[in-house]
Amino acid sequence: MKLQRKNRVRALAVGALAVSGALALTACGSDNTSGAGGGAAAKPSNIKCEGKGKLLASGSSAQKNAMDVWVQNYAGACKGTEINYQPTGSGAGVTTFLQGQTAFAGSDSPLKPDEIAKSKQVCKGGQAIDLPMVGGPVAIGYNVPGVDNLVLDAPTLAKIFDSKITKWNDTAIKKLNPDAKLPDLKIQAFHRSDDSGTTDNFTKYLKGAAPGDWKHEPAKKWEGTGGQAASGSAGVSSQVKQTSGAISYFELSYATAGKIPTVKLNTGAKTPVDATVDNASKAISEATPAGKGNDLALKLNYTTKAEGAYPITLVTNEIACDKGNKPETLAATKSFLTYVSSKDGQSALKQLGYAPLPTEIADKVRKTVATLS
């Protein structure tokens, strides 16, 4: 089992892009494992195993590659516990949670007031809360033959994704890339077909940084004009990889796994900003609290012009009841969420293209998880 487990983890680093659907792994030993891409995995002795049986969860596909490794590491330490996380998209994950079908959900957008109100029917005596767990950049991946260094800004991106710029050799793109050999090639803009927190965050950036060019309201459902749709981050990134002239938005981990080049952003800073973990962390550090009580939702600054700050970022929240969790899943939920918010759990993220939580936020998350009841 040890060899099989190591092979599975190694496969995550190489083939995470192609993997979709549910991940259901059960513990089959207690040997140490290595995180994908060389990231450090938690030692079994650092995971406090509580609860037995099956834990169902679903939601954000943005955190799928992180969840793959977290589940693998947790299963390697906690015998008899099965965690099944389905990357169905943030919207579907929240809906399923509010229907009482899962122990927790992953969402790249904080809960809305109506969702919190509805959660009181599921969280008896309590309500659903946001627990920030995964941070990182939303990369703009592209496939333009002969172009491996592309700079775009918010107004140009808004026009591309709203079908107002349709050729790669458009004057606006040429102005930002005077030395690039831009082809007379049709732009194939892909967006998410499912309700997506990644879409919500991307359109918040477009609306915040280019309000004159992006007239649509930010939402999990795509509101732009034209373009083509694909399901999940794996779907849109796969389309970019195989389609000449394509461009889309997805988490950096998918660009890394698929070896897809990413756009540098002209934010108004002196130098265009790369989509990197460190640059996303600089932007996330400017986030301000947005939740009340035990809700730890964050408000991101999409218009930062700080040097080296990449503004198209998202923070994936795990959605759980503060009170009223199902007794049969409460212990395992607390145990798993404590691990993923721990130093060991967060340390695996950077190698996967995610930004670990700032220490002060991770501390608050762990303290809040401990109070779940």
Side-chain angles (χ1 to χ4, degrees):
M1 297 302 290
K2 178 177 178 181
L3 179 58
Q4 292 175 348
R5 186 167 59 254
K6 286 186 176 179
N7 287 339
R8 285 198 300 268
V9 176
R10 186 179 299 111
L12 290 174
V14 177
L17 178 66
V19 181
S20 60
L23 174 69
L25 297 173
T26 53
C28 60
S30 59
D31 297 316
N32 295 350
T33 60
S34 298
K43 295 179 180 179
S45 60
N46 293 334
I47 298 177
K48 186 176 181 181
C49 302
E50 294 183 349
K52 297 286 185 179
K54 194 170 187 177
L55 195 66
L56 298 178
S58 67
S60 166
S61 65
Q63 69 172 356
K64 178 195 176 299
N65 296 339
M67 193 63 73
D68 284 349
V69 173
W70 281 338
V71 170
Q72 175 69 42
N73 292 345
Y74 188 84
C78 300
K79 296 179 179 180
T81 302
E82 180 182 327
I83 299 173
N84 184 312
Y85 181 81
Q86 299 182 12
T88 55
S90 296
V94 172
T95 297
T96 303
F97 175 81
L98 294 178
Q99 293 172 344
Q101 298 179 29
T102 51
F104 68 90
S107 177
D108 307 320
S109 298
L111 291 164
K112 295 179 179 179
D114 63 316
E115 292 171 334
I116 294 176
K118 188 175 182 179
S119 73
K120 295 179 181 180
Q121 301 174 21
V122 176
C123 307
K124 303 300 183 182
Q127 66 177 46
I129 58 173
D130 296 283
L131 299 168
M133 206 66 73
V134 182
V138 177
I140 309 299
Y142 65 94
N143 181 346
V144 183
V147 180
D148 56 9
N149 186 10
L150 183 67
V151 176
L152 297 174
D153 58 12
T156 306
L157 281 168
K159 292 172 185 175
I160 287 173
F161 281 93
D162 209 26
S163 299
K164 292 182 174 63
I165 291 178
T166 59
K167 288 291 190 72
W168 278 110
N169 62 349
D170 186 274
T171 303
I173 302 177
K174 283 183 175 180
K175 186 176 179 180
L176 291 165
N177 301 273
D179 298 325
K181 295 181 179 179
L182 297 165
D184 182 13
L185 179 67
K186 182 180 178 181
I187 294 174
Q188 307 281 354
F190 285 88
H191 57 264
R192 291 279 290 273
S193 60
D194 51 319
D195 285 0
S196 160
T198 311
T199 295
D200 191 24
N201 281 276
F202 179 54
T203 53
K204 282 178 180 176
Y205 164 75
L206 295 178
K207 187 69 171 179
D213 296 293
W214 188 260
K215 302 297 185 180
H216 313 283
E217 288 303 312
K220 292 179 181 178
K221 183 178 180 180
W222 183 255
E223 300 290 345
T225 303
Q228 302 177 64
S231 179
S233 295
V236 292
S237 59
S238 178
Q239 288 296 329
V240 170
K241 188 172 178 63
Q242 67 189 25
T243 306
S244 180
I247 186 171
S248 190
Y249 56 93
F250 38 83
E251 297 69 41
L252 180 61
S253 59
Y254 289 87
T256 302
K259 297 181 180 179
I260 300 169
T262 60
V263 167
K264 293 181 180 179
L265 285 181
N266 182 337
T267 63
K270 292 180 181 179
T271 305
V273 186
D274 282 307
T276 68
V277 170
D278 290 337
N279 291 345
S281 293
K282 290 180 181 178
I284 293 173
S285 69
E286 297 184 21
T288 56
K292 298 179 180 179
N294 286 332
D295 192 302
L296 302 181
L298 299 172
K299 182 179 181 180
L300 300 170
N301 180 9
Y302 294 101
T303 60
T304 179
K305 292 179 175 57
E307 294 297 325
Y310 184 83
I312 317 180
T313 61
L314 60 75
V315 173
T316 302
N317 303 287
E318 310 310 332
I319 309 298
C321 295
D322 60 354
K323 297 178 182 178
N325 288 279
K326 295 179 181 179
E328 61 269 28
T329 59
L330 175 60
T333 297
K334 293 175 70 173
S335 173
F336 180 69
L337 294 182
T338 296
Y339 158 60
V340 301
S341 60
S342 71
K343 183 177 180 180
D344 286 324
Q346 292 290 306
S347 69
L349 292 179
K350 194 168 184 179
Q351 295 292 336
L352 297 171
Y354 298 103
L357 294 174
T359 301
E360 61 274 16
I361 295 177
D363 288 343
K364 289 181 181 178
V365 170
R366 286 193 295 273
K367 289 178 181 179
T368 302
V369 170
T371 68
L372 300 182
S373 62

